[in-house]
Amino acid sequence: MMEKAALAEKEVQSNARISGAEMLINALKRQEVEVLFGYPGGAVLPIYDSLYHAGMKHVLSRHEQGAIHAAEGYARISGKPGVVIATSGPGATNLVTGITDAMMDSLPLVIFTGQVGTGVIGTDAFQEADILGITTPVTKHNYQIRDTKDIPRIVKEAFYIASTGRPGPVLIDIPKDIATLVAEEIEPESISLPGYQPTTEPNYLQIRRLVEAVSSSKKPLILAGAGVLHAKASKQLVEFAEQQQIPVVNTLLGLGTFPPEHPLYIGMGGMHGIYAANMAMYECDLLINIGARFDDRLTGNLSRFAPYATVAHIDIDPAEIGKNVPTAIPVVGDAKQSLLQLIKQNGKRSDNEPWRKQIHTWLEEAPYHYEKEDSEALKPQRVMELIYELSKGDAIVTTDVGQHQMWAAQYYPFKRPNAWVTSGGLGTMGFGLPAAIGAQIAEPDDLVISVNGDGGVQMSIQELGVIAEHNLPIKIIILNNGSLGMVRQWQEIFYESRYSQSVFASQPSFSKLAEAYGIKGIDARTEEEVKQAFTEEFPQHKPVLINVYVEPEENVYPMIAPGKGINEMVGVKKK
């Protein structure tokens, strides 16, 4: 009799029918999701109702774009997929910029959008948008669920796709009736995606070709991008560079992959990179690209990029190899696995001591430079130096996009991986403040500093409400130059100083605005005031906004003008 009862109970459990919304919550728990970023609305109310008793952390953004940028910051720092939920129509379309940003910068996100009921899809129903059609070009994959019982399988696949191979955003569109209908919950035991088989192990023969190329080169150079961070391969990068004594250049998003004080480190290359890095890329005879995509802001004029080099490219995404720069040695594979194979080969070290001496000479004769005495106003570069000094270089730094972003990259040396959160490929203004929210949630005990311009911060200023609500101890620093600084700089250089709509006629009081949200606000105009504010506020476990008035006409140098080669930098001051 007891055996019969046990068997009956087992049958009930195996045939238990629950709503699609409950299935979704269960699927998220199986993926060990720690936090969701989102904003409710009509089409996702069944999901939010299931969240009510789920015991999962949810961060209510003040705008959907704030939610997805926060998820990007979380993904960048934690290495786990950021999870976002928004309603149909405008809720979903407000995510598109962040989805594109994540796609360009290879960040793993899983995004859930509500949709109108299946019976009215295609009728222009209230708050209907074809989010699959809209996001197909800017997602790694997307789904629209049409059968409730498919939810567990699709969620499992989405997390796998987002976080394997080249990471990226995956979107799941859930019609409202699919979330409310009940079905038997069937958890898939395994994932079967025959059309998706990313290559992680590099080809042995290509590794051998690269080993031999290193041995015969006289001027080898490593270009390390964000792919090194995604593969958690910084340790292996250092080991390989030391083994072969090869100098290292970083891309903007690759900062932190290599210790800045290391004798083999050169610095950041590209449009606003250091002179030595760009000259090294121009003069090298072997360029080993590890996890970077040769974007135009790095290469400048392609016809003049690394003109003397044999190019080797290690990348997990075969579509990137040869896309922009002809590649002689293609290596498709995970950066860590590829570096481990290279280290194991322990090839003959190249005779490149004169090359390393030449790079050292370039570094000595043309470091980053700014005029310290030509203005009474505070220089923004000096503010970044103070941020580094008074944080001891141990902070996670997020930025918005513009001049301040470049000054942060130039004057804040990143001593460790995963401490730099910025929008690279898309260059999204409004990114910095919400990204800091995600970064702080990922590492609640770390010092998170969000560096912003006075233009970009106003695109997401409402997210101060999230920071105040959760008492996130983010240090928000605004480099206030009264303009859209990078736009103004380009207008000065290329448009004969016709400042068309780039200088603000009026600005809010950022310190008072912070106080309106319940966050301490400070205005600083001198170096002493900045030092005092940073010294007092950085150790505090509470948020603060420090509005720093800086020299309004300061420009970012050095610089490669559009159409110019990487060896044609302007604004280089040699000693």
Side-chain angles (χ1 to χ4, degrees):
M1 192 72 174
M2 288 179 64
E3 288 178 3
K4 274 191 176 182
L7 181 62
E9 183 180 351
K10 184 177 181 182
E11 288 175 352
V12 169
Q13 288 175 347
S14 64
N15 294 314
R17 295 167 65 82
I18 60 175
S19 73
E22 292 171 304
M23 283 188 200
L24 175 60
I25 299 304
N26 290 343
L28 293 175
K29 288 181 177 180
R30 283 193 290 271
Q31 294 298 322
E32 299 181 350
V33 172
E34 296 172 342
V35 60
L36 296 91
F37 302 90
Y39 204 100
V44 289
L45 285 181
I47 297 171
Y48 272 86
D49 190 55
S50 292
L51 266 175
Y52 189 77
H53 295 294
M56 299 183 73
K57 182 178 178 66
H58 180 281
V59 176
L60 174 64
S61 66
R62 300 309 190 255
H63 188 284
E64 289 89 353
Q65 189 168 335
I68 198 158
H69 290 329
E72 287 185 275
Y74 177 85
R76 172 73 74 189
I77 296 302
S78 71
K80 304 171 185 175
V83 181
V84 183
I85 182 168
T87 195
S88 64
T93 57
N94 279 342
L95 297 175
V96 173
T97 296
I99 294 171
T100 311
D101 191 276
M103 187 69 175
M104 292 282 279
D105 288 352
S106 304
L107 292 174
L109 300 182
V110 178
I111 302 118
F112 298 94
T113 54
Q115 186 55 274
V116 298
T118 54
V120 292
I121 290 176
T123 68
D124 292 332
F126 177 67
Q127 291 195 331
E128 179 185 3
D130 179 12
I131 199 63
L132 290 193
I134 291 169
T135 62
T136 292
V138 294
T139 51
K140 193 173 176 183
H141 193 58
N142 62 20
Y143 298 85
Q144 186 176 80
I145 300 178
R146 288 303 189 105
D147 192 325
T148 299
K149 71 175 184 294
D150 289 336
I151 290 175
R153 172 184 62 81
I154 287 174
V155 170
K156 189 169 187 174
E157 288 178 2
F159 276 85
Y160 176 73
I161 293 169
S163 56
T164 56
R166 179 180 182 173
V170 177
L171 183 140
I172 302 175
D173 196 39
I174 307 176
K176 187 172 183 179
D177 57 320
I178 296 297
T180 57
L181 290 171
V182 296
E184 183 182 354
E185 185 177 31
I186 304 171
E187 182 189 359
E189 293 182 2
S190 60
I191 292 172
S192 178
L193 296 170
Y196 177 70
Q197 301 291 331
T199 300
T200 57
E201 292 291 334
N203 181 280
Y204 174 77
L205 294 178
Q206 297 299 82
I207 290 291
R208 282 302 311 166
R209 286 183 64 196
L210 180 49
V211 169
E212 290 163 8
V214 170
S215 298
S216 61
S217 69
K218 299 295 184 184
K219 299 178 179 180
L221 185 69
I222 292 170
L223 173 67
V228 176
L229 293 170
H230 296 312
K232 299 178 174 60
S234 296
K235 179 182 176 182
Q236 290 73 27
L237 174 63
V238 173
E239 187 175 349
F240 175 63
E242 289 178 342
Q243 182 193 78
Q244 298 298 320
Q245 287 296 291
I246 303 176
V248 177
V249 168
N250 271 142
T251 65
L252 173 69
L253 291 181
L255 293 171
T257 59
F258 205 82
E261 74 284 354
H262 198 287
L264 290 171
Y265 186 63
I266 306 175
M268 182 179 73
M271 179 174 279
H272 295 293
I274 197 165
Y275 174 78
N278 286 336
M279 289 305 298
M281 286 192 288
Y282 184 77
E283 296 282 355
C284 68
D285 65 5
L286 174 65
L287 180 60
I288 306 169
N289 177 344
I290 308 177
R293 55 187 184 85
F294 283 134
D295 69 287
D296 58 299
R297 288 296 173 101
L298 172 80
T299 64
N301 188 320
L302 280 169
S303 67
R304 296 175 223 172
F305 178 74
Y308 313 111
T310 297
V311 176
H313 191 167
I314 299 171
D315 207 294
I316 200 162
D317 184 356
E320 288 296 344
I321 298 177
K323 184 178 81 173
N324 295 329
V325 174
T327 302
I329 307 174
V331 181
V332 179
D334 175 79
K336 178 182 280 190
Q337 296 307 315
S338 300
L339 284 164
L340 285 170
Q341 290 298 321
L342 288 167
I343 294 163
K344 184 179 179 181
Q345 291 294 312
N346 194 19
K348 178 185 175 184
R349 183 183 296 177
S350 69
D351 179 17
N352 66 18
E353 186 176 353
W355 171 238
R356 286 183 277 121
K357 286 182 177 178
Q358 174 62 71
I359 290 171
H360 185 71
T361 299
W362 284 329
L363 283 168
E364 282 194 330
E365 71 180 11
Y368 286 130
H369 171 82
Y370 64 96
E371 296 294 337
K372 298 177 173 63
E373 308 298 336
D374 66 343
S375 171
E376 292 183 5
L378 185 59
K379 290 299 181 84
Q381 299 96 324
R382 180 56 185 153
V383 178
M384 287 310 310
E385 289 175 338
L386 289 170
I387 292 172
Y388 180 77
E389 291 168 16
L390 296 173
S391 69
K392 299 180 175 60
D394 291 329
I396 293 171
V397 176
T398 80
T399 76
D400 213 88
V401 171
Q403 288 181 315
H404 68 277
Q405 177 190 33
M406 294 299 106
W407 287 318
Q410 291 176 339
Y411 290 95
Y412 192 102
F414 289 92
K415 300 193 294 187
R416 60 185 172 92
N418 301 318
W420 171 236
V421 185
T422 197
S423 172
L426 196 62
T428 305
M429 291 178 69
F431 174 89
L433 187 63
I437 292 171
Q440 189 74 80
I441 289 171
E443 292 291 350
D445 296 326
D446 281 18
L447 172 62
V448 175
I449 298 173
S450 181
V451 182
N452 301 268
D454 50 315
V457 75
Q458 293 186 71
M459 290 192 173
S460 55
I461 196 75
Q462 71 283 344
E463 302 307 318
L464 288 174
V466 179
I467 294 171
E469 177 185 341
H470 294 272
N471 195 33
L472 298 173
I474 300 166
K475 315 309 173 191
I476 306 152
I477 298 170
I478 298 174
L479 298 186
N480 190 339
N481 58 11
S483 68
L484 302 174
M486 193 62 83
V487 176
R488 186 207 55 76
Q489 175 171 336
W490 279 53
Q491 288 174 337
E492 176 185 324
I493 297 171
F494 304 116
Y495 296 90
E496 299 177 340
S497 297
R498 292 187 292 273
Y499 300 134
S500 179
Q501 303 303 311
S502 61
V503 178
F504 292 112
S506 66
Q507 290 274 47
S509 167
F510 289 106
S511 58
K512 289 182 179 178
L513 189 56
E515 289 170 0
Y517 279 95
I519 294 171
K520 184 176 182 179
I522 299 171
D523 290 317
R525 288 178 170 81
T526 67
E527 182 170 328
E528 285 308 310
E529 289 176 343
V530 170
K531 282 182 179 178
Q532 181 179 348
F534 291 177
T535 302
E536 292 178 357
E537 298 301 329
F538 282 3
Q540 301 294 322
H541 197 76
K542 58 185 179 181
V544 65
L545 185 150
I546 305 170
N547 176 42
V548 183
Y549 291 94
V550 297
E551 167 60 55
E553 296 185 355
E554 188 72 5
N555 289 336
V556 181
Y557 288 114
M559 177 180 179
I560 302 170
K564 298 295 184 180
I566 53 171
N567 63 322
E568 300 175 289
M569 304 185 76
V570 296
V572 176
K573 184 167 182 178
K574 295 186 179 180
K575 289 183 177 178

